[in-house]
Amino acid sequence: MSTETPPSRADTVIIGAGAVGCSVAYHLSELGAEDVTVVDQGPLPVTGGSSVHAPGIMFQTSPSKIQTKAAHYTSRLLSEAGVYDEVGGIELARSEDRMDFLRRRKEWATSYGLPEPQLLDPEEVTDHLPMVDEEEILGGYYSPTDGRVDGIAALQWYMEQSAADFIGNTEVSDIEVEDGAVQAVVTDRGRIECDRCVMATNNWGYQTGQLAGLDLPIAPVEHQYVVTEPLDELADEESSVGDNTTGLDVPGDRSIAEYMSEGPTQPVGRDQDHSLYFRNHGDALGMGSYNHETLSVDPEAMGKNTDEHQASVRGFTKEHWETPTHRGRDKSAKQAFDELLPATQDVDYEATENGIFVFTPDGMPAVGPTAAVDGLWSGLAIWWTHSGGYGKILAEWMENGVPRLPSGPVDTGGIHVRRFEPHAGEKEYFVDRGAKRYEQVYSIVEPRWQPDDHRGLRTSPFYHQQQELGAEFYQSGGWETPQYYESNADLVDRYEDQIPEQDGWQAINRSPIEAAEHLHTREKVSMFDMTTFSSIVVEGEGSGEFLQSVCSNDIDIDIGQVRYSLLLNEGGGILADVTVVRLDDEEYLVTTGGGNSPGIHGGWLEEHAPETVGVHVEEGARSTIGLWGPNARLLLQRCTDADVTNSGFPYFRAKQIYVGEVPVIALRVSYVGELGWELWAPTEYGQRLWETLWEAGQDLDVRPMGGGALSSMRLEKGYRLWGTDIDTDANPFEAGLPFAVDMDTDFVGKEALQAAREDGIDNRITPLTLDDSTDIMLSGRPVTKDGETLGYVQAGDYGYTIGESIAYTYVPSEYAEAGTTVQVHCEGETYDATVRDEPLFDPGRERIIR
């Protein structure tokens, strides 16, 4: 409900009354939260933010499961509310490459449960969209539950249905933080004390974060949209333009709000080959364009509403509409629309805008609890399409500690606000990366695509040696990580009979050298740069008891012992998989993956630690080499006086040793299923560590190994990868990790696991191998049996040692038995596959423990 006066206190304050803020408030109310206040600088419901200038088009299908699930939930919620036009959506192909892309769209939709996705021929497209020139297209992808949300009506519905108080015309000037926790939200109409605060300001997200001392990488960008005069081709459609916003306080140009409130009667359409989309507004046609150079907006200069304009709308720039300024497009928006929709030629426009919305450096939302301020939550970089779903996810997370939709827990690694690297908040960086994501919105992005700007930001001490060895660097978490090394090209000839050729989409940005490095490591010895992996020191009085309370496995281990465990949330979902090393009575080393692990997992441990326990996330403080392969012991023994025999240094043990002159914490663990060690050294010793091992191993044919080989080797062995095979949407029993759970101990998530075990485990992870093909399967592609979708590919690669193509998937438990036959659908092809027992390679672990 709307109210006039801000309270002096509220349990929860939400800043921003747009699509996200209203959704969070509504869902918090649904969960029983009380005393929620929503404030916005603009009038209600037409706030002047992106929610009220957006055309509301909702295409649900995405290569991301969570994006697709959030979109579908949003469409169902708003459809039931009566503020959603379910007219369907059609994505057009004007090239063969785009037609291939649309086949991927159908596969993703099938994997993630969207109803009745279809591929259409040109005639079928024009049956739905008669204004499209059939000669201009090759076909289309049709999702019948796509459509359009009436933005203003949806905001009004949220406000009417929520128990929260909504207060407009109230500008936030500060977020008070004391002792690392939010205390109050200060406005121009008074101070509101609160326990929790949600930032849902999207275009003002960077500025809002600054109020709390946070550098959030939220980049505003201008985006073009026009609405034509009434068209003869739409003359039979009714129009209420002129009456849609009667009685509402509308900042700026009322015609924009008027036309955005006018719904479509035909499917919404997209011409992604030219970065365009369109829908009818009654008897007029609306056309949107990403087909121009990125028009970035200074995130510190978003401004406010005036009588002349909405704060999130800039003046229409005709040159970007009529001139091809997009680097990847050879036609302007107008030219491409004139060809596709001939009826739009030479018509006048009744409304035009350069509307503003936002991008993060990776194009995904920024959701969840912030790291630096307790009680401060982010709901940023979210569009109407996903707003209902993310409002539900965020409210569940805040109230129950488990991010989820009605369909179940969701994976948060790709959307978590803590995933960003330390440098990501630098304004030039995130504005540039946001600009690139805008440019790519409708582009066909190749597998394993890599940016070419802002490179070399984070490098390991081995970087110069890797350059000399011809490393092909990929960027991960800002780190330069070798995918493979040109110096190993000679190995391709050595193993050519074991490396099947790959072609098509699966082969793009993939090198046979990756396969050769895999096979060499199985036969000889390789060095893998693990510097990007995270080390977290946990020490102090009660450190063991603390780790026991957050780790799913028994952490009552001896000094020098290593234990694999999981960190779980309250719902039993997997927050992280970790290796715990006991270094001393009250000192432990916790290691986990790289990328976003330091911010997400390290921050989680810091938050949960008692005052007597210190948690130190050593991001970049250690340089680490994985030394793996049958000759790993022989090489390591040459470089150390320590006993590294099997009896003197058993598997899953740790020692502090010297490698040459370098002090090292050596862990006898292996992520590739071979004899080997992880060697953790202070960063300043890294270069000498590499040189010592490299020089000592030349006669053993020691080689560098990149991330491509790591991927295929870990799949052969069935080792899990957080964010790919395991995440907060799976529990350890579903993920095939019961050995990492000791139910005789007490830990976060235990009650949920007990309940899950009692209810029965409905889904399980399992490996598949293709029956008659060496093609590599790609993630997100459906796994079916007798026409029923069972799951989708979590990860796929070729197993060069076992000689079979591998795909990991979650399937209903009754289909997880070895020998079950299924089909995998990838790139328009159907592959027969068979469920297998794991691990596929070395089930007796002879190669690891020798």
Side-chain angles (χ1 to χ4, degrees), residues 34-187:
E34 298 179 349
D35 200 14
V36 177
T37 294
V38 186
V39 296
D40 198 288
Q41 66 179 338
L44 302 180
V46 190
T47 62
S50 56
S51 298
V52 294
H53 73 64
I57 291 176
M58 289 180 56
F59 291 94
Q60 301 167 84
T61 310
S62 168
S64 162
K65 176 183 174 181
I66 192 170
Q67 291 280 82
T68 303
K69 291 283 189 181
H72 190 56
Y73 174 84
T74 304
S75 74
R76 298 308 88 203
L77 173 70
L78 299 181
S79 179
E80 292 174 7
V83 294
Y84 179 70
D85 299 305
E86 192 173 297
V87 292
I90 299 178
E91 303 178 33
L92 307 173
R94 296 174 76 178
S95 66
E96 291 291 349
D97 285 346
R98 183 63 62 177
M99 201 67 215
D100 288 340
F101 176 79
L102 296 186
R103 294 186 184 96
R104 293 177 204 124
R105 304 291 277 185
K106 183 182 177 185
E107 290 171 356
W108 293 326
T110 302
S111 291
Y112 305 144
L114 290 184
E116 302 180 35
Q118 304 164 41
L119 292 176
L120 307 180
D121 63 29
E123 184 177 357
E124 291 171 321
V125 170
T126 54
D127 285 343
H128 289 286
L129 292 170
M131 293 178 66
V132 170
D133 184 349
E134 190 175 311
E135 298 299 316
E136 286 289 323
I137 61 174
L138 301 179
Y141 162 71
Y142 178 48
S143 175
T145 57
D146 286 353
R148 167 263 183 183
V149 58
D150 184 340
I152 294 175
L155 296 180
Q156 289 175 309
W157 179 82
Y158 276 133
M159 293 177 190
E160 291 167 0
Q161 298 300 314
S162 173
D165 292 327
F166 292 83
I167 305 167
N169 298 307
T170 302
E171 184 178 349
V172 173
S173 58
D174 194 17
I175 299 174
E176 290 185 6
V177 177
E178 185 176 324
D179 295 328
V182 67
Q183 300 295 314
V185 172
V186 180
T187 79

Side-chain angles (χ1 to χ4, degrees), residues 604-623:
W604 191 84
L605 287 173
E606 287 175 329
E607 286 178 1
H608 286 76
E611 291 185 0
T612 60
V613 174
V615 176
H616 312 287
V617 182
E618 299 182 321
E619 192 168 11
R622 298 183 195 259
S623 53

